[in-house]
Amino acid sequence: MESSVTKLKVYDVIVLGAGASGLMCSATVAYNDKKTVLVLDHAPKAAAKIRISGGGKCNFTNVEVSPTNFICQNPHFVKSALSRYPSSAFVELVERHSLAYEVREGGKYFCAERASDLIQILRTECDWAGVEFSLKTTIQSVQYRGGKYSVKTSQGEYEALKLVVATGALSFPKLKATGIGYDIAKQFGLNLIETTPGLVPLNFSDKWQARFSELSGLSMKVCAQVADHDFTEAMLFTHKGLSGPAILQVSNYWKQGERLTLNPLPDFSEQQALEALLALKLSGKSLPKWLNERWPKRFTQIWLEVYPMEAVLSNVSNERLQHYAKQLTHWVLFPANTAGYDKAEVTLGGVDTDEVSSKTFESKQQPNLFFIGEVLDVTGQLGGFNFQWAWASGMACGLAL
Ligand SMILES: Cc1cc2nc3c(=O)[nH]c(=O)nc-3n(C[C@H](O)[C@H](O)[C@H](O)COP(=O)(O)OP(=O)(O)OC[C@H]3O[C@@H](n4cnc5c(N)ncnc54)[C@H](O)[C@@H]3O)c2cc1C
């Protein structure tokens, strides 16, 4: 139901944001308690991020979801909502609507056809529950007076007894992401954790860009490591730096100025690489040929220009081979920066989770004000975890409203 109400009607609940968490929360509260719910969003259609995610097929959850898949200053915060709404519950929901889906490597659930099918399910749930929508409606300001929230928008003013902030975070501004949720949090005195782009490509420094940008488009399996976090997955060269799942995953843990260590031979430890080189030395086979059996040829060629190594190892000392083995398994880079919010799938940081209840998502200091989804300082790894957080936090809040 679209609405263009301009006169003041007091809703039980206004949900700011028709994204993943906002839709889940709205359907839950309206369905369970028959409360009047209005969802406001400035986008012309609901859930733009679901629509384009996962290459248009939306990686909507994961078989195995654990608190360790999330980054949050308080690692215990996510436990309650995730345990009350496991991924199997969301899969049950989509199965009830006969969504065709597939489970890919790493337990990742994707729509078999279109992500828009998933949006349709959430919109249907909202319609059945009688949720009202006002899209193309920019939220301008929020006020709390006389025990009610008043929301000023481009389409007029709306009032509600309870307000849910589900406006997401800063990533992908071209999909209408804004920081309004942070502004509302600040206005009501909630603390914010500094935000940075997450699940984001990393840019080379000039030196490496000049050398490796010609590999743009090339993908290879690596083990990418930052501090004590490592991920063995595909890495993609871009014209500015590195992307692909391994880099996006590790970017969540990378901070400006820190090193990124890549093992381009992820099936080999340094010791195993040394053993392989010693065997090559004995057999007299060529090192570039051995590398070409494991790497794309273009990468081998540039690698050996940057890190010259003898082609035949017969006369290379074992000490030198040790050095080769280290170089081949520890490619140390200092990325210049990330590709920023324009290219980041998520935003690290946000509303401090110490400020809200992990059971109801209500602010501890401001009555009837709730924060769910990505606006909170909760960030999932790649693999459907961010949507699972949106579903779980939306559901927990919806049940509490
Ligand atoms: C390119 C991309 C791909 C992704 N792929 C995946 C994936 O495959 N799997 C996964 O788990 N996660 C993925 N994510 C992350 C996931 O999309 C988010 O974590 C999730 O959408 C967050 O849900 P949310 O409800 O908190 O916010 P959102 O879904 O971002 O919803 C926020 C809503 O608030 C609205 N809004 C914001 N400001 C205003 C304002 N001032 N006035 C009115 N409305 C406003 C927005 O229009 C939006 O509809 C991806 C993200 C991106 C950018």
Side-chain angles (χ1 to χ4, degrees), residues 328-341:
L328 286 166
T329 52
H330 293 77
W331 183 20
V332 177
L333 297 166
F334 287 87
N337 47 34
T338 73
Y341 290 114

Side-chain angles (χ1 to χ4, degrees), residues 218-235:
L218 185 142
S219 173
M220 61 191 281
K221 190 174 153 195
V222 300
C223 175
Q225 186 189 357
V226 167
D228 52 356
H229 299 277
D230 61 81
F231 297 88
T232 300
E233 292 190 58
M235 175 180 85

